[in-house]
Amino acid sequence: MCTRIGILLAATAIWIASWTPSHADSTAQPQAMTAPAAVEFLRDYCVDCHDGEGGEAGLDLGSLEKAEQIPLAIQKWNRVADRIADQQMPPIDSDAPSLDQRNAMVDWIRGTIHTAVCDDGVTPGGPMLRRLNRTEYANTVRDLLGIQLNAGHGLPSDGAGGEGFDNAAETLFISPIHAEKYLDAARAALTHAMSDPSDRKSILVSTPSANTSPRDAAEKVIAKFLPRAFRRPVSEQERGQYVDLFEQVYVEDPSFDLAIKFTLEAAMVSPKFLFLWEQPHDEPEPILVSDHELASRLSYFLWASMPDEELMRLADQGKLRDETVLADQIKRMLRSRMDDRGHRRNAKVRAFARSFVEQWLGTRALGREFQPNEAVVGKLNSELLGGMKYEPVFFMEDLLAENRSLLNWIDSDFTYANTSLARHYGVDGTFREQPKYIELPADSHRGGVLGMGAVLAVSSYSHRTSPVLRGKWIMETLLGTAPPPPPPDVPDLEEVVAEDGEKLSLRQRLERHRADPTCASCHSVMDPLGFGLENYDVLGRWRTEVDGMEIDVSGTLPDGTTFAGVAGLKDQLMQRKDAFIRHFTRKMLGYALARQLTNEDQCVVEAISEKVVEDDYRAQTLVLEIVKSVPFQYKSGQEFPSNQDHNDGK
């Protein structure tokens, strides 16, 4: 039992250390470890168990003599660093280094790996080959046909992969049900488009007449439709295949509408439409993606949809890669007009903001997996639900369009609210059903993500708040430092009363809960963070007491730092703002590349983060630097570096 408790305590040490200000922010910096000191560390604390071919777990650490050996086995040394960091090595019952020694060793291993990987340059991923996810499919059909119909409504939902997003290539496979659903969706979408005179005219750019044969008309329709549907120039052979298909159908039933609709349906169930596909190449060296491939990468990153006419025109002209042109296009694509009522108008930017934000913050679960207990919190009407869900989406859209600082996520003097949400927050003013921009007073309890109702709801239980869940959410979502999993037999937080029969507060119950050493290791970190948010109830309403008891919102962090309430918690996050930016950059890069990031991608994350910090944390700088990066602009060949450890991932 003691050994298990010790391991649990040790497993959270590096996680706890993440709430100690980084060396870069500290005036007292520990001495950096040298290679000879690292070798001595291993000999003092590791080689008794891990030496030679017979080392425990097949691990030989006694042979390390110089830093140059580390990059030859990156995967192994990443594991070693992880074990030292979470105090699984050395074992609890053996001589152990100090926390400073332990951190210095971990920093040395990871720094050596980082230098080795990054100094060799970054190897991009392979040519993109992935299915459009349900959101991208719906948006693409909308923009291709000019219709306001959610064509992806009947498709199966997509699971998350990569860095936690549903556009990750590894999860976007095709199943038999997809094939059937895609055909149904294409038929419904084209029927809808053909029934609208304006949409019909934009699709059927030619029809049979006295001087135009059905084949000639079909050729003109197909010649315009296919490059837009396939998002690239189309060869004469490809066009000919669809013209031949049109003629086959037309011979059986001489109806131009029927034959051309069938032909366009065929194009919309083609892998060339359903997949983002890039031309592979056989050389070992990475090459730039083509201009049209870049246009698609850009549009599916920022719009979750197909390139528009301007992007296609620039790609046709070979101008899109010009840095000035690219920067101008990013500004154009992120532009979101705010009308005189404070409402934003850009459906494409909102689609990106919603897709990214709801998955990053977890607010997609609100009203779906997370349903508040009405007996406890009251009925959640649809307007309030919509206002809560769209607040962070409109907030993100605003940051992008206005090129604001990304630190507004930690604290801001504005937000977006509709009538119900404003009433929910106690904000005065004239509102409507659609959220609008509002400036917050200096003493507001809102501002930043920690004051948003949707976030506060999905980080709670359905019937009560949870400092544990909220603290865990802060660590994982804002800083990227997930806590270790709880032991399998962790006891539930039961209703506890004092010896005199008095009911205890949630905080007092949690304090008793973590009196058990098994629980204390994790709760000593998570609980203080969550306590800082206890003034918010399950739906994010402000409160000062629960069941007649005043709420204690003070918190003490593992390094001894104390704070009080959400304002103090924001101050603590601001002291760790660069860690937040690195994690936010990682999430957005993973979303942009639509895949799991590798060790080499982490070099890109670091470089982009530095650029963002230098430019006062501006949102558009982050987007531009991602688009300019090697993984976004290049694709690898068919051969890969001999040292596969460089692409181990984690």
Side-chain angles (χ1 to χ4, degrees):
M1 176 66 176
C2 293
T3 301
R4 181 170 63 87
I5 292 174
I7 292 173
L8 286 168
L9 290 168
T12 56
I14 190 62
W15 180 54
I16 291 173
S18 68
W19 270 94
T20 302
S22 66
H23 294 169
D25 297 330
S26 176
T27 56
Q29 297 185 14
Q31 184 72 30
M33 183 165 282
T34 62
V39 172
E40 184 178 353
F41 179 101
L42 294 175
R43 289 175 179 169
D44 288 345
Y45 301 111
C46 305
V47 296
D48 282 350
C49 297
H50 304 285
D51 190 20
E53 295 182 1
E56 289 188 17
L59 186 61
D60 175 20
L61 300 181
S63 60
L64 181 72
E65 297 180 353
K66 53 186 179 179
E68 287 76 11
Q69 294 173 251
I70 298 286
L72 301 178
I74 289 178
Q75 188 174 17
K76 179 182 85 170
W77 285 102
N78 268 330
R79 289 199 302 269
V80 170
D82 289 342
R83 298 297 184 271
I84 295 174
D86 62 22
Q87 298 194 19
Q88 293 182 41
M89 289 175 48
I92 295 298
D93 55 356
S94 63
D95 291 339
S98 67
L99 184 60
D100 282 347
Q101 287 178 299
R102 189 181 294 275
N103 289 340
M105 184 64 183
V106 172
D107 288 346
W108 181 79
I109 294 174
R110 291 177 176 165
T112 301
I113 293 172
H114 183 82
T115 299
V117 172
C118 299
D119 283 357
D120 288 345
V122 175
T123 302
M128 186 173 291
L129 177 61
R130 71 171 180 87
R131 173 176 59 82
L132 299 178
N133 68 19
R134 185 166 64 170
T135 298
E136 293 167 337
Y137 175 83
N139 294 342
T140 301
V141 171
R142 175 200 66 198
D143 295 338
L144 177 65
L145 302 181
I147 60 176
Q148 297 303 314
L149 175 73
N150 184 0
H153 179 73
L155 297 177
S157 59
D158 301 302
E163 296 300 315
F165 299 102
D166 61 10
N167 66 347
E170 57 264 36
T171 64
L172 293 173
F173 52 86
I174 284 279
S175 66
I177 192 173
H178 276 101
E180 180 182 348
K181 294 294 185 181
Y182 279 131
L183 183 57
D184 292 341
R187 285 173 176 167
L190 278 166
T191 299
H192 184 87
M194 293 296 196
S195 64
D196 180 271
S198 177
D199 294 338
R200 176 185 174 88
K201 184 177 180 180
S202 67
I203 297 170
L204 300 185
V205 294
S206 180
T207 55
S209 60
N211 300 317
T212 305
S213 68
R215 179 185 175 91
D216 289 341
E219 285 181 339
K220 292 178 181 178
V221 172
I222 292 168
K224 180 184 177 184
F225 189 84
L226 288 188
R228 298 183 66 241
F230 296 169
R231 304 172 287 274
R232 58 171 173 78
V234 175
S235 69
E236 184 176 344
Q237 180 182 9
E238 287 177 296
R239 290 196 304 270
Q241 291 172 343
Y242 285 91
V243 173
D244 290 345
L245 176 61
F246 166 82
E247 285 204 311
Q248 293 174 21
V249 178
Y250 190 79
V251 167
E252 294 182 8
D253 188 340
S255 165
F256 180 81
D257 273 19
L258 177 66
I260 197 64
K261 182 172 177 289
F262 185 91
T263 304
L264 300 185
E265 286 175 6
M268 291 179 64
V269 296
S270 166
K272 298 172 184 178
F273 173 74
L274 298 175
F275 280 76
L276 291 176
W277 179 88
E278 295 177 351
Q279 182 69 42
H281 74 105
D282 298 327
E283 300 300 323
E285 293 299 319
I287 63 170
L288 287 164
V289 297
S290 72
D291 282 79
H292 292 92
E293 290 168 350
L294 180 59
S296 283
R297 286 193 177 194
L298 189 58
S299 67
Y300 282 97
F301 171 27
L302 298 183
W303 285 344
S305 187
M306 60 185 285
D308 65 357
E309 290 185 7
E310 185 165 347
L311 285 176
M312 291 295 285
R313 176 179 58 80
L314 290 169
D316 290 341
Q317 297 171 350
K319 295 181 179 179
L320 186 56
R321 201 176 306 281
D322 179 271
E323 191 166 316
T324 301
V325 172
L326 198 57
D328 289 343
Q329 286 302 303
I330 289 173
K331 291 178 182 177
R332 178 184 72 88
M333 295 174 72
L334 294 178
R335 191 173 299 132
S336 181
R337 180 177 62 86
M338 186 185 294
D339 62 24
D340 56 2
R341 294 179 175 177
H343 300 137
R344 289 209 163 270
R345 310 287 185 188
N346 191 325
K348 290 186 176 182
V349 177
R350 188 162 305 147
F352 161 54
R354 183 176 185 181
S355 179
F356 177 80
V357 166
E358 288 190 343
Q359 294 183 81
W360 167 49
L361 298 179
T363 52
R364 181 179 284 184
L366 183 59
R368 296 166 60 175
E369 295 87 352
F370 177 85
Q371 293 282 354
N373 188 321
E374 293 185 4
V376 176
V377 302
K379 186 174 179 60
L380 181 61
N381 67 65
S382 60
E383 185 179 298
L384 177 58
L385 176 64
M388 292 173 66
K389 293 195 71 168
Y390 271 102
E391 180 185 13
V393 174
F394 278 61
F395 192 87
M396 178 66 170
E397 185 181 345
D398 187 286
L399 297 185
L400 293 169
E402 302 297 329
N403 198 19
R404 298 186 196 270
S405 169
L406 292 168
L407 298 182
N408 279 290
W409 280 116
I410 298 177
D411 195 13
S412 69
D413 58 5
F414 73 95
T415 192
Y416 280 78
N418 62 5
T419 302
S420 291
L421 188 60
R423 187 183 307 117
H424 190 70
Y425 288 169
V427 176
D428 296 328
T430 302
F431 298 89
R432 291 178 173 79
E433 185 174 354
Q434 185 179 16
K436 77 168 190 175
Y437 176 92
I438 55 172
E439 294 182 356
L440 298 170
D443 60 350
S444 173
H445 304 308
R446 307 298 162 179
V449 70
L450 295 181
M452 295 183 179
V455 166
L456 294 161
V458 298
S459 58
S460 298
Y461 291 118
S462 63
H463 63 290
R464 68 165 174 86
T465 60
S466 170
V468 179
L469 293 182
R470 286 178 173 175
K472 180 174 181 285
W473 184 93
I474 290 170
M475 297 300 296
E476 287 181 333
T477 307
L478 299 187
L479 297 176
T481 53
D489 56 348
V490 62
D492 293 331
L493 181 62
E494 299 175 351
E495 189 73 23
V496 180
V497 296
E499 293 180 0
D500 59 4
E502 182 181 356
K503 186 176 180 180
L504 300 180
S505 68
L506 176 60
R507 183 182 185 114
Q508 291 170 324
R509 289 156 56 200
L510 281 170
E511 287 172 349
R512 292 199 174 192
H513 184 72
R514 65 173 181 265
D516 183 342
T518 305
C519 307
S521 56
C522 291
H523 285 273
S524 63
V525 182
M526 292 185 293
D527 294 5
L529 308 181
F531 289 145
L533 299 177
E534 271 296 278
N535 279 136
Y536 301 105
D537 73 0
V538 171
L539 295 182
R541 291 172 293 204
W542 187 258
R543 62 186 182 175
T544 57
E545 62 177 41
V546 175
D547 297 331
M549 291 181 281
E550 185 177 354
I551 299 173
D552 181 358
V553 293
S554 62
T556 302
L557 299 176
D559 65 352
T561 301
T562 60
F563 69 93
V566 64
L569 185 53
K570 289 178 182 179
D571 288 342
Q572 292 302 313
L573 287 173
M574 278 296 186
Q575 293 183 36
R576 296 157 179 84
K577 57 184 179 294
D578 290 354
F580 164 73
I581 290 298
R582 281 193 297 273
H583 182 58
F584 190 86
T585 298
R586 179 181 181 91
K587 298 299 286 187
M588 188 167 285
L589 181 63
Y591 180 91
L593 299 179
R595 61 170 172 80
Q596 179 74 48
L597 299 187
T598 67
N599 280 328
E600 289 187 346
D601 291 325
Q602 189 59 37
C603 307
V604 179
V605 170
E606 295 291 339
I608 292 174
S609 299
E610 290 176 6
K611 292 285 188 180
V612 173
V613 171
E614 290 172 5
D615 197 27
D616 295 328
Y617 305 92
R618 299 295 174 184
Q620 289 186 11
T621 300
L622 173 58
V623 172
L624 178 60
E625 292 300 324
I626 287 176
V627 172
K628 288 165 52 181
S629 70
V630 168
F632 196 91
Q633 294 256 342
Y634 284 79
K635 56 185 176 183
S636 65
Q638 297 301 304
E639 298 181 16
F640 298 93
S642 58
N643 184 4
Q644 289 297 305
D645 279 337
H646 278 217
N647 289 303
D648 286 333
K650 289 188 175 180

